[in-house]
Amino acid sequence: MTTEEKLAEALRIIADRAEDRDVLPGVLAGRRRRAQRRTRGALAAVCAAVLVWVVTAVWPVPRVDTAGPGPERNAVERVWPQAVFTLPARSRPVAAISATEVLVRGERGTFEVYDAASRSSRTVAAFGQAPRLVAVDRERVAWLAGGQAWVASLRAGGGARKVGPVPGENVDRLALAGRDLVWSAPLDGVWRMRIDGGVPERVPGAKGLQLVEWPWATDEPLDVRASPARVVDLRTGAAVKVRPAPGVEGLRCGPTWCTGTRGNRTVVQRSDGSRSEVRRGLRGYPYRDRFFTGSGEIYDARTRTTVTFEGTPLPSGGRQWSAGDGVVFWAQDGGVRVVNLAAVPQP
């Protein structure tokens, strides 16, 4: 397949994803815009380097499998009651912080921390321009807006502080790593910059890698049907080899668990190719190398537990929901129902 044909195939996949009803309004449009930006930018890099890779930043598109066997399905409120709570309708969950706290976007252009234990929120910082990417740890939140990186403390207050420019139009992964802000873009490797100011530099050993979840990165192929060869710990340089199970392609992996496709079915497997099983509609990378979400259910690969959530009913009879980094949420009873995966106990 030529580069032009692969590009056309990538754009077709992006368009097809518009039929996905498992997201809240506005999310799909944002995904399409981001995917198209990545496609245009990466194509320029391909031409400049005389590469023959297809340009896309979307995951493989698994089809819902309703015939495959699986564990008993349970309601999320019953299986993980400590992980489920309701936010005020004005709030938009962004990411899990801890077992009780989540980062949310307020309606007036602010980041807030909501504590499910005390049912209260506190404002962290205001942002003038809508964030394009957001990263959070237990102490701070960072985001990209207008080509600049910003950071704010979750605990001490003081508002937002500019870190500096982040080069590259195709940056699509962002994370906090101690006192560093790290990011990656297709074809460009993983970079870092001190959050108290400094010069961007490539993380040692990270050329050609893409962030998964700090400190893990992978040599993610641009062709959605291809699988990576390794997942690398950027702190130590240790690498995990990826071995697709028989017939599986398009793997997207953490250090232990991957999703891919076999024909028109989604498969969850260990990165070494063992314990391959058909799952229903799951996709993308695992959260905390453990949780996969899709088609109205969450799958915990470590415990082989499947839980369902209903989402918001649609006139068509379907359901819609959305997800962030470790959070799944939907509109319900005048509020926002949230599943915080950071609250699920370790096995």
Side-chain angles (χ1 to χ4, degrees):
M1 183 179 290
T2 67
T3 300
E4 291 78 7
E5 289 171 335
K6 291 180 178 180
L7 175 58
E9 174 69 7
L11 292 175
R12 183 192 63 75
I13 293 172
I14 294 168
D16 288 347
R17 287 173 64 88
E19 298 301 322
D20 192 340
R21 295 180 299 180
D22 282 347
V23 292
L24 292 178
V27 173
L28 282 169
R31 287 180 181 172
R32 287 194 298 271
R33 287 193 297 270
R34 289 194 296 273
Q36 289 166 350
R37 272 200 308 272
R38 296 173 195 153
T39 300
R40 290 192 296 268
L43 180 59
V46 168
C47 294
V50 199
L51 299 176
V52 289
W53 291 347
V54 60
V55 180
T56 179
V58 295
W59 316 135
V61 183
R63 299 181 184 276
V64 173
D65 172 66
T66 58
E72 180 182 358
R73 290 179 168 81
N74 304 287
V76 65
E77 285 87 352
R78 185 173 71 251
V79 181
W80 297 331
Q82 74 283 2
V84 186
F85 61 91
T86 299
L87 277 171
R90 64 180 179 82
S91 301
R92 178 82 172 181
V94 176
I97 298 171
S98 69
T100 61
E101 295 178 319
V102 295
L103 182 74
V104 303
R105 283 180 60 170
E107 61 182 347
R108 297 182 179 179
T110 58
F111 282 122
E112 302 171 7
V113 174
Y114 181 83
D115 189 325
S118 63
R119 299 183 182 179
S120 63
S121 64
R122 62 181 184 277
T123 299
V124 170
F127 47 83
Q129 187 174 355
R132 188 169 69 83
L133 295 173
V134 179
V136 66
D137 59 17
R138 286 178 174 265
E139 301 300 326
R140 57 186 66 85
V141 57
W143 65 96
L144 298 186
Q148 298 286 332
W150 299 79
V151 67
S153 171
L154 299 179
R155 313 297 173 188
R161 179 175 57 82
K162 185 185 294 186
V163 177
V166 171
E169 295 181 357
N170 302 308
V171 173
D172 61 355
R173 315 279 172 86
L174 185 71
L176 284 161
R179 302 297 298 178
D180 289 339
L181 182 68
V182 296
W183 65 90
S184 67
L187 307 176
D188 201 28
V190 182
W191 293 71
R192 68 185 178 190
M193 179 169 58
R194 299 286 291 182
I195 61 173
D196 54 2
V199 178
E201 62 178 8
R202 183 179 278 125
V203 175
K207 185 176 182 180
L209 300 181
Q210 276 271 70
L211 276 173
V212 175
E213 188 173 35
W214 181 260
W216 296 98
T218 181
D219 56 341
E220 176 185 309
L222 294 177
D223 186 339
V224 297
R225 290 179 293 272
S227 298
R230 61 196 174 109
V231 183
V232 180
D233 185 337
L234 294 177
R235 293 174 304 185
T236 66
V240 176
K241 292 184 178 180
V242 176
R243 296 183 176 88
V248 174
E249 60 182 6
L251 289 177
R252 295 299 177 260
C253 298
T256 310
W257 298 103
C258 311
T259 55
T261 57
R262 182 189 290 123
N264 63 353
R265 294 186 174 186
T266 303
V267 173
V268 174
Q269 66 158 74
R270 289 185 180 271
S271 54
D272 63 5
S274 65
R275 220 193 90 179
S276 168
E277 55 186 290
V278 174
R279 301 302 312 166
R280 177 175 172 262
L282 306 179
R283 57 183 178 267
Y285 289 97
Y287 172 68
R288 295 191 173 182
D289 196 28
R290 179 179 177 185
F291 300 102
F292 296 94
T293 303
S295 298
E297 66 182 44
I298 303 167
Y299 179 60
D300 181 353
R302 290 187 190 172
T303 63
R304 304 184 78 166
T305 302
T306 299
V307 296
T308 59
F309 54 88
E310 293 188 350
T312 305
L314 295 168
S316 62
R319 302 274 176 169
Q320 61 181 175
W321 52 276
S322 192
D325 187 15
V327 290
V328 179
F329 56 96
W330 59 92
Q332 180 174 311
D333 299 331
V336 179
R337 196 67 169 158
V338 182
V339 181
N340 176 10
L341 294 177
V344 179
Q346 293 288 332

